[in-house]
Amino acid sequence: MGFAIGFVLFALGITVSVALHECGHMWAAQATGMKVRRYFIGFGPKVFSFRRGETEYGLKALPLGGFCDIAGMTALDEIDPRDLDRAMYRQATWKRLVVMFGGIFMNFLLGFLLIMLMAVVWGLPRLSDTPPDTMIGTPSCVPTEQPNGQKAVPCTGVGPAEAAGLKRGDLVTAIAGTPIKSWDDLQKNTQNKSGPIVYTVKRDGQTLDFTVVPQQTVTYADPTTKKLTDTPRTVSKVGIGQMLAYDPVKYNVVSAIPASASFTGTMFVNVAQSLAHMPAKVVSLWHAVTGGQRDSDTPISVYGASRIGGETAEHGLWNVFVLTLASLNFFLGAFNLLPLLPLDGGHIAVVLYEKLRNLLRGRRGLPPGAPVDYLKLLPATYVVVVIGGAYTILTLVADVVNPIKLFP
């Protein structure tokens, strides 16, 4: 039930994000004197609509996006002669740019507000500060593994490491006198021991020794490749895992503003890197579709993102739920900045081209040129649509047959 609720809530969050993106275009157009003829959420058959002023608002059957119909967005649009002076393509450059950036701005604003919510309620993770390899997370009991990647049998009670006094944030420097430099070293020097093990750790500037009595258990992980098999082997375990991130830092409403701004800047860098690597991820996605292991850094579809939302909700990790939704908004905003039609960035590029062209024509004593002929841009637009559609389908198939799983 928790997964289903999280899945639906995340899908609803995506719908709200798209709706606000289109609201950004609509409100900017209305504020600059343009005519907005229709504002709809979804595509396909119309479920209902109503008219307020000169705009028709409504909902369509397929909640896969939305659109804002601004009169005269291009010179190709059919427009009532009475509205010709309000046609978007005839407006000043700054007005057209405000409208095109309006949707992108709404995604960035929503993402920032979600980060603010995280900062105040749960705290912000330290994205740019990674714990050392041998720092341990919260100790736990030792679950019983199952063959071929089946879900481990849940365990209860106190594990060996916790019973011995090890704590979250302890940095393991040696095991039985052997220096430990990596997590692989830690695992090997734990699993191959059969009696009490002395862990040397650093805690709050002090070096401490803890004697841990390991628990003998069966594992199905290959010692060389780390892949799960159906061949069991008996090893020693103490109930510790690698600490992948420092504990989040909480803020009050005032201090959350600069902290959220800094965190957002870091996320923008990550999003830009993700966009740059998208073409190269085609091979990884195809590998996942054809039965290979799914990399956690491959792109995901709306379904895949909703699935992750369901998993985080099921485990009570609402901070991760909110962070994922914020990341999605930053990605949507940044993706729409790409100078490709039919994305907002493509329309922005056309507007800037027309402005620069007219400035050059003016210096030569010539009148402004005609609006860009979008018919000539249709072939390039179709190429973007086809490639983007194929990429989306590939990502969706990967999310269905080999989804990214946050939890084993």
Side-chain angles (χ1 to χ4, degrees):
M1 180 62 73
F3 176 86
I5 292 174
F7 186 97
V8 172
L9 285 178
F10 199 91
L12 181 61
I14 295 175
T15 302
V16 170
S17 299
V18 173
L20 288 176
H21 176 97
E22 297 302 326
C23 278
H25 292 312
M26 178 179 68
W27 291 335
Q30 292 171 336
T32 52
M34 303 179 200
K35 182 176 181 178
V36 179
R37 295 180 292 202
R38 293 183 300 163
Y39 171 84
F40 273 79
I41 300 302
F43 295 101
K46 181 168 66 176
V47 177
F48 73 88
S49 69
F50 63 92
R51 181 170 293 277
R52 180 170 295 174
E54 61 186 10
T55 305
E56 180 186 9
Y57 301 85
L59 176 70
K60 296 205 170 188
L62 302 176
L64 302 176
F67 64 92
C68 171
D69 177 19
I70 303 171
M73 188 169 178
T74 73
L76 298 177
D77 289 352
E78 293 185 7
I79 188 169
D80 190 319
R82 294 171 298 180
D83 296 326
L84 193 59
D85 290 339
R86 300 176 66 192
M88 181 175 174
Y89 75 89
R90 301 189 64 173
Q91 304 305 306
T93 298
W94 72 268
K95 291 184 178 181
R96 296 168 69 187
L97 290 177
V98 165
V99 172
M100 297 317 304
F101 276 110
I104 296 170
F105 172 77
M106 287 301 293
N107 284 130
F108 288 160
L109 177 62
L110 179 56
F112 178 77
L113 293 177
L114 289 170
I115 295 300
M116 281 277 293
L117 175 65
M118 276 187 60
V120 174
V121 178
W122 298 285
L124 295 178
R126 295 154 62 178
L127 293 181
S128 58
D129 197 1
T130 305
D133 280 351
T134 59
M135 183 170 284
I136 66 173
T138 303
S140 66
C141 55
V142 179
T144 302
E145 291 187 17
Q146 298 292 313
N148 291 322
Q150 298 179 50
K151 192 172 183 179
V153 178
C155 62
T156 58
V158 176
E162 186 177 3
L166 287 172
K167 295 181 179 180
R168 176 180 174 84
D170 284 344
L171 179 64
V172 180
T173 59
I175 296 178
T178 302
I180 300 299
K181 302 296 183 182
S182 68
W183 192 255
D184 280 345
D185 288 346
L186 188 150
Q187 286 184 316
K188 290 176 182 176
N189 281 277
T190 296
Q191 293 181 356
N192 62 14
K193 300 291 190 298
S194 58
I197 309 172
V198 177
Y199 285 77
T200 302
V201 305
K202 285 187 177 180
R203 178 192 296 173
D204 299 329
Q206 294 182 310
T207 299
L208 306 171
D209 288 333
F210 295 90
T211 301
V212 183
V213 179
Q215 178 178 326
Q216 296 296 302
T217 187
V218 172
T219 183
Y220 293 88
D222 185 278
T224 303
T225 65
K226 306 298 181 183
K227 293 183 178 180
L228 296 176
T229 67
D230 57 359
T231 303
R233 61 190 182 94
T234 301
V235 298
S236 294
K237 290 193 176 183
V238 297
I240 56 174
Q242 187 176 17
M243 186 171 175
L244 301 178
Y246 286 111
D247 292 334
V249 180
K250 292 184 69 174
Y251 301 86
N252 59 40
V253 175
V254 176
S255 63
I257 296 175
S260 299
S262 176
F263 188 87
T264 298
T266 302
M267 292 196 69
F268 277 155
V269 173
N270 294 340
V271 167
Q273 292 173 343
S274 298
L275 283 173
H277 294 152
M278 277 186 68
K281 294 299 181 182
V282 171
V283 175
S284 297
L285 285 170
W286 181 254
H287 180 66
V289 169
T290 54
Q293 186 174 357
R294 179 75 182 270
D295 291 337
S296 60
D297 61 347
T298 49
I300 56 175
S301 64
V302 171
Y303 169 80
S306 299
R307 182 185 176 87
I308 290 175
E311 286 190 359
T312 55
E314 183 180 22
H315 288 78
L317 298 176
W318 292 103
N319 56 331
V320 180
F321 181 98
V322 172
L323 178 60
T324 305
L325 188 57
S327 300
L328 179 67
N329 272 277
F330 290 137
F331 181 84
L332 287 174
F335 185 75
N336 269 287
L337 278 174
L338 295 177
L340 302 170
L341 289 171
L343 302 176
D344 294 338
H347 293 286
I348 291 170
V350 168
V351 173
L352 293 176
Y353 164 77
E354 289 182 348
K355 180 63 175 179
L356 179 61
R357 179 202 60 188
N358 290 339
L359 284 174
L360 295 176
R361 288 176 64 88
R363 289 184 179 180
R364 294 160 53 194
L366 300 174
V372 166
D373 186 355
Y374 273 76
L375 285 176
K376 294 180 179 179
L377 299 177
L378 280 180
T381 303
Y382 289 147
V383 170
V384 173
V385 171
V386 170
I387 293 177
Y391 199 101
T392 300
I393 293 173
L394 178 62
T395 306
L396 177 61
V397 173
D399 286 334
V400 172
V401 302
N402 194 356
I404 293 174
K405 297 180 180 179
L406 298 183
F407 307 94

